[in-house]
Amino acid sequence: MTELELSRKLGSYVAPRGLYEQLKETPFLGSVRCNASVLEAGAWTEIVLDYELGAAGMADGSVFKATFRFYSDWALFQTTDPCGADYVSAEYQAGPLVSGQSPATVQALKVRFDQKGHERPFQKAIIVDTVDGYLKAGDHIIVRIGDRRYGGPGTRSQTFVEENFRIRCYVDPLGTSRFAAIPNDVILQIVPGEVSRLVFTGPRLVRLGARAVMRLRAEDAWGNTCRDKPYALNIAATRADRKVHGGEVVFPAHGWSVVTLDDLPTDAAGELIVTASLAGQPAVASAESYLAVDKDLACERMYYADLHVHSEDTIGTNSTSYNLAYGRDVSGLDVLAFAHNDFNITKDRWDETVRQIDTINVDGAFVAYPGVEWCGSSCAGGDHNVVYLHGRTPEFPYLKSGEHVRAFEWNEDMGAGAHIEPGAWPLEELWAAYAADSEGHLLIPHVGGRRCVLDWHHPALERLVEIGSSWGHFGWLYQEAMERGYKIGASMAGDEHRGRCGGGVPGTAVFGTKGGLAGVVAQALTRQAIGRALRARHTFATTGERTVGLSRCGASIQGDELKNKGPALVDYRFLGDAGWDEIAAYDHTGLFWRRNLQEELGYSPRKIRIRWGGARIKDRYRAAAWRGTITLKGAVIHNFTARGFEHKEEACWREGATQIGFRSETYGDADAIEIDCTDWASATLRIEGTIDGYVKVGDVREGNPFEPCPSFSWEVKGEDLLREAALRHTLPGVEMFLAWERMSEQAPPREVSGRITVSPENGPHGFRPVYFVGRQIDDAKVWTSALFITFTN
């Protein structure tokens, strides 16, 4: 209404002059501006959010929130040390008054940070509380993320690239704890930095004469694939120290900095060593990759699959089309399967995913399957992926009979008042949905946020178990399956929420390891052949590297069931890149055979290492954050090298002539420091420090001490290490340990093979499972699927 219309309707009245018209022209919930639009991944910065209140104002006790996705690894914010890193502040600035208008009465703002302060997926929340009074339209709440005004360094931004990173702001205008989204999200483009390293991906083992395609990409310091860098590369390939291939290639001027090498010579057996260097960029180290060409290989080559990929359609990063293209064109995957969170995905988004997958799937080039992640709580069976192998339209989210087969439906598009409608719950109902066509489906229990519990198992549907991902390494899960007598194969996957599927590089926070991969031994790269191989358990699980682990007993390969009279002769073969540290064999009782490559190469009088690893718990926030010192009292440290450190916020440093400091996090994996020193055999070797966990609630600066073992201290005599060669100290938690070990000065082998004799002893379930685990010096690992041997008289 105009002022004249108001006068006609109201007669005589008193109100601030012009405020009515101003309020009617102002967005009801206000607006938010940001000082930035583009950020480099992992860069230190200061973000300023300026919330101008709308016509609704904010009542006494109201709250403003700035939220973003939980799986962002933006450094955790703190509100207690203005001079420290990642300090967040909030201040009030009054807007102008019109004639007759009283100022707002708010006395102060209080700011806090809560990791799960809002609703999924926008769970990370900076929360600003108003204190003792109201705010009016036109007033401002200014939030500084990484406030630098007190001398702090700012805040370390998210380490992985994202198109349209969203900060979604909410306001509770009436102080009722009912929040409304302020229109128009703040959108940032998080882009890669400068080239820091070169990375190869491609097959590790091919048959003589088979086509071998490698991809070479440029990454920034955080592992993001660079873009728009038309740099020249020098490529060379040697076999038996003789150059057999070479030339120059150039990264594209636009798009991902990736080149494809599809003309590598495979016309002779042996190991091909392929090297690449960036022309005119001496600060970027050259890269090296290895390709074994085998004339007796039964299949064309090893195939690599990531069967657990997310996108922004649920809780991942970037679009479904982006993730599909990344897996095919950057990671060089052979096989990809999506795993949209079943309760989050809408019917329209699911239909579009299936359409895109059917479009990108090309037998012989790139195999893609639709899939979902059944997100049942651990008490109902835990997370299980469903991969639709059959090639028909998947029965999801509804069966043909009409029932919905999500665990339940609960997504942000439903609205805050939506009712949760359970579907296939508990796990038995998921099985019931697909048991009639077990050959067309593959269910994969896994450890993620809601870890699977092996109290449940369906042998016809669950042919593989995911024992590693960007969440960590879970070898204990495969061993538990063997102890229970389950005939199930080994796989790993990305469970990649950060847009880098296919052995994705680690970030910080809850995803602290590389995404894993499943190696597949199949006769062809087709949906049908790959599906048969997956269900036959003809797989090996790698921690993200293009390594290989194979086992065989006669005509049977890993994953097979076989009968054997008398002792079984089992062959193994492992191919890697960093060099193998040990190969071990397990059955239902655990470790029964081990090959120590360091010992075989001959121990050095100068070289030892300290390793530590494991996880605090089996559930979501499993990381163990280690901080400590290593002291060699009586020895002289010449140099030292870190192994297994995932990113640049993990580090080690010299603290003195006899002491090394370190910080790292382990998620079931292990880290190590190799030490070149003299006189260690007569010295005292000591490691001590603290173990923290992920800070989910409270002040991040106070840490989260691991209550069963908040600190550790272990001292050994060098003479004991000299005698035993390896000393191990077990800590509380999940496979948590410390270990002093002797090392060789010789480079460990990239390929290891051999044969073991397995005694004819069936386990309590009528057979003996036998699987191998290979570990490299950088803690990269491979598990073979078990051979399930039934010994007969």
Side-chain angles (χ1 to χ4, degrees), residues 454 457 479-487 561 587-589 761-769 788-791:
L454 295 185
H457 176 54
Q479 181 58 34
E480 181 184 340
M482 299 302 102
E483 292 169 2
R484 289 176 177 264
Y486 297 165
K487 293 179 179 178
E561 300 177 45
D587 64 7
H588 59 286
T589 67
E761 302 169 13
N762 289 323
H765 301 95
F767 61 91
R768 186 174 183 180
F788 301 98
I789 307 171
T790 299
F791 290 100

Side-chain angles (χ1 to χ4, degrees), residues 633-712:
K633 187 177 180 180
V636 177
I637 298 173
H638 299 295
N639 59 51
F640 52 92
T641 302
R643 296 280 190 182
F645 285 28
E646 281 83 11
H647 51 75
K648 64 181 187 177
E649 289 186 357
E650 297 185 330
C652 60
W653 56 90
R654 185 185 285 272
E655 290 202 342
T658 62
Q659 197 167 71
I660 301 167
F662 69 92
R663 65 173 180 269
S664 81
E665 295 183 349
T666 62
Y667 299 72
D669 58 314
D671 295 334
I673 297 176
E674 299 174 2
I675 306 171
D676 181 348
C677 56
T678 51
D679 304 320
W680 62 264
S682 59
T684 300
L685 316 178
R686 183 179 181 86
I687 181 170
E688 57 190 332
T690 60
I691 301 175
D692 262 4
Y694 187 70
V695 180
K696 187 173 73 169
V697 177
D699 188 345
V700 299
R701 295 174 67 83
E702 293 179 1
N704 178 24
F706 179 41
E707 293 297 340
C709 188
S711 61
F712 58 92

Side-chain angles (χ1 to χ4, degrees), residues 20-355:
Y20 173 83
E21 292 86 346
Q22 187 181 98
L23 293 179
K24 285 301 183 182
E25 293 173 357
T26 300
F28 189 70
L29 295 177
S31 62
V32 181
R33 295 192 301 273
C34 180
N35 68 323
S37 59
V38 179
L39 291 178
E40 181 181 309
W44 286 84
T45 187
E46 179 185 56
I47 299 294
V48 181
L49 301 177
D50 183 351
Y51 172 45
E52 182 175 349
L53 274 71
M58 291 179 69
D60 190 349
S62 294
V63 175
F64 167 81
K65 292 182 183 180
T67 72
F68 54 98
R69 289 175 179 260
F70 177 73
Y71 290 124
S72 170
D73 69 348
W74 204 300
L76 300 183
F77 306 132
Q78 55 93 10
T79 59
T80 56
D81 180 8
C83 298
D86 306 302
Y87 178 67
V88 177
S89 67
E91 64 184 48
Y92 166 69
Q93 293 286 347
L97 300 171
V98 300
S99 177
Q101 183 183 14
S102 299
T105 60
V106 66
Q107 298 295 300
L109 302 177
K110 288 189 176 180
V111 63
R112 52 197 166 97
F113 173 60
D114 190 334
Q115 291 267 47
K116 290 198 170 182
H118 197 70
E119 191 175 308
R120 179 181 175 131
F122 292 94
Q123 290 178 293
K124 284 186 171 170
I126 296 168
I127 304 171
V128 180
D129 296 287
T130 60
V131 179
D132 292 341
Y134 70 90
L135 290 78
K136 60 177 176 56
D139 288 351
H140 293 255
I141 292 176
I142 299 172
V143 176
R144 285 183 169 84
I145 304 172
D147 192 340
R148 286 172 163 166
R149 295 176 299 172
Y150 304 93
T155 181
R156 195 266 293 140
S157 65
Q158 176 175 297
T159 68
F160 54 95
V161 301
E162 183 168 356
E163 296 176 346
N164 300 327
F165 174 93
R166 293 179 181 273
I167 300 176
R168 182 163 294 174
C169 296
Y170 295 85
V171 66
D172 163 28
L174 299 179
T176 61
S177 297
R178 184 84 183 252
F179 288 88
I182 299 167
N184 302 318
D185 294 344
V186 171
I187 295 178
L188 304 174
Q189 305 302 324
I190 301 183
V191 300
E194 289 300 313
V195 177
S196 178
R197 58 178 170 262
L198 301 174
V199 176
F200 276 106
T201 59
R204 182 63 179 87
L205 177 62
V206 301
R207 188 169 56 203
L208 182 71
R211 182 169 178 260
V213 178
M214 283 189 180
R215 285 173 177 79
L216 176 66
R217 68 177 183 259
E219 290 185 348
D220 70 8
W222 286 100
N224 300 295
T225 302
C226 297
R227 299 183 68 89
D228 308 335
K229 305 288 185 186
Y231 295 155
L233 298 135
N234 297 314
I235 307 295
T238 60
R239 184 188 297 114
D241 296 325
R242 185 172 67 88
K243 186 174 179 180
V244 295
H245 180 77
E248 183 180 278
V249 296
V250 180
F251 283 133
H254 303 289
W256 282 313
S257 298
V258 180
V259 293
T260 300
L261 309 178
D262 57 3
D263 57 350
L264 297 172
T266 61
D267 55 346
E271 184 182 64
L272 198 67
I273 301 176
V274 186
T275 60
S277 59
L278 205 58
Q281 301 284 331
V284 178
S286 61
E288 197 166 74
S289 186
Y290 311 98
L291 176 64
V293 180
D294 189 334
K295 65 182 179 62
D296 297 321
L297 193 65
C299 54
E300 184 177 80
R301 59 184 173 90
M302 298 296 106
Y303 299 112
Y304 292 92
D306 190 341
L307 302 175
H308 193 163
V309 177
H310 291 277
S311 78
E312 67 184 9
D313 281 344
T314 54
I315 199 65
T317 301
N318 296 327
S319 66
T320 291
S321 59
Y322 178 102
N323 281 272
L324 283 168
Y326 189 97
R328 182 190 62 185
D329 301 333
V330 178
S331 295
L333 285 170
D334 301 299
V335 184
L336 182 151
F338 262 91
H340 286 316
N341 297 95
D342 66 340
F343 70 93
N344 270 151
I345 189 71
T346 64
K347 177 67 163 59
D348 289 345
R349 290 178 180 177
W350 169 253
D351 289 344
E352 175 59 18
T353 291
V354 174
R355 186 196 67 77

